[in-house]
């Protein structure tokens, strides 16, 4: 069981590093794009959100591939199972239960799920921050057709200290 825990921790750390790198890049892209003046603020906001969401989805896919590689190296997936499907089910915490890890590696499934849910929560926070900052910028430049009240509503929804 200790080997499973160490493997799961090692792969989780690799994925945290991937997510950190992608997050920094995504925020840099959003910051650069967000500082531009625009005559189409709603399209600008939508483009920023879609771009960041796609970048984060690519990060999640890379993270799933890292887990799939680890599963393949240690033989954690049952014989004859579709490795990528098996990994995605664990990482997304979908939990169909139609394919489970081999007995010797059964701790890797929950560790993959724990890693995945952490990364999805992180991505949600990044998306919300990009939305908040973009709305803040659009309000600051008084973009035409932009309701500055949108930014205030978003801050109120975020709770105290937002």
């Amino acid at each position: 069981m200790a080997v499973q825990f160490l493997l799961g921790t090692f792969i989780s750390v690799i994925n945290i590093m991937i997510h950190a790198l992608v997050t920094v890049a995504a925020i840099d892209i959003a910051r650069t794009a967000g500082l531009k003046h625009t005559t189409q603020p709603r399209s600008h906001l939508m483009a920023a959100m879609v771009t960041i969401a796609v970048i984060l989805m690519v990060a999640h896919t890379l993270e799933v591939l890292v887990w799939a590689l680890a599963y393949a190296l240690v033989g954690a997936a049952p014989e004859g199972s579709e490795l990528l499907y098996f990994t995605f089910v664990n990482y997304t915490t979908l939990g169909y239960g139609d394919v489970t890890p081999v007995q010797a590696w059964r701790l890797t499934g929950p560790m993959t799920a724990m890693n995945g849910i952490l990364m999805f929560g992180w991505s949600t926070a990044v998306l919300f921050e990009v939305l908040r900052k973009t709305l803040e910028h659009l309000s600051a430049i008084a973009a035409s057709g932009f309701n500055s009240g949108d930014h205030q509503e978003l801050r109120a929804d975020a709770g105290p200290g937002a």
Side-chain angles (χ1 to χ4, degrees):
M1 188 164 298
V3 173
Q4 294 177 68
F5 183 75
L6 288 173
L7 175 72
T9 301
F10 179 70
I11 300 303
S12 292
V13 168
I14 289 171
N15 282 345
I16 290 167
M17 292 182 340
I18 289 169
H19 219 76
L21 287 169
V22 171
T23 297
V24 168
I27 289 172
D28 284 346
I29 290 167
R31 185 173 293 133
T32 301
L35 293 177
K36 295 181 180 176
H37 287 288
T38 181
T39 58
Q40 302 286 323
R42 296 197 186 286
S43 296
H44 181 84
L45 178 60
M46 187 174 69
M49 297 305 295
V50 168
T51 301
I52 298 309
V54 167
I55 290 169
L56 291 169
M57 286 179 66
V58 168
H60 287 290
T61 302
L62 288 172
E63 293 155 12
V64 167
L65 292 173
V66 169
W67 275 107
L69 177 62
Y71 285 171
L73 290 174
V74 299
E79 188 68 35
S81 65
E82 173 58 46
L83 187 60
L84 201 52
Y85 168 78
F86 172 69
T87 308
F88 260 107
V89 167
N90 282 312
Y91 184 84
T92 61
T93 69
L94 188 57
Y96 281 142
D98 56 340
V99 183
T100 57
V102 296
Q103 186 68 24
W105 290 99
R106 70 181 182 177
L107 185 59
T108 58
M111 290 193 76
T112 304
M114 180 177 66
N115 182 234
I117 201 162
L118 176 63
M119 298 300 100
F120 284 121
W122 184 345
S123 291
T124 301
V126 169
L127 282 166
F128 186 81
E129 184 63 10
V130 167
L131 173 63
R132 192 181 71 76
K133 287 292 192 182
T134 304
L135 286 172
E136 187 177 275
H137 169 70
L138 292 171
S139 178
I141 65 170
S144 99
F146 174 72
N147 180 359
S148 61
D150 292 344
H151 180 250
Q152 296 303 322
E153 290 172 19
L154 185 62
R155 289 181 58 97
D157 290 345

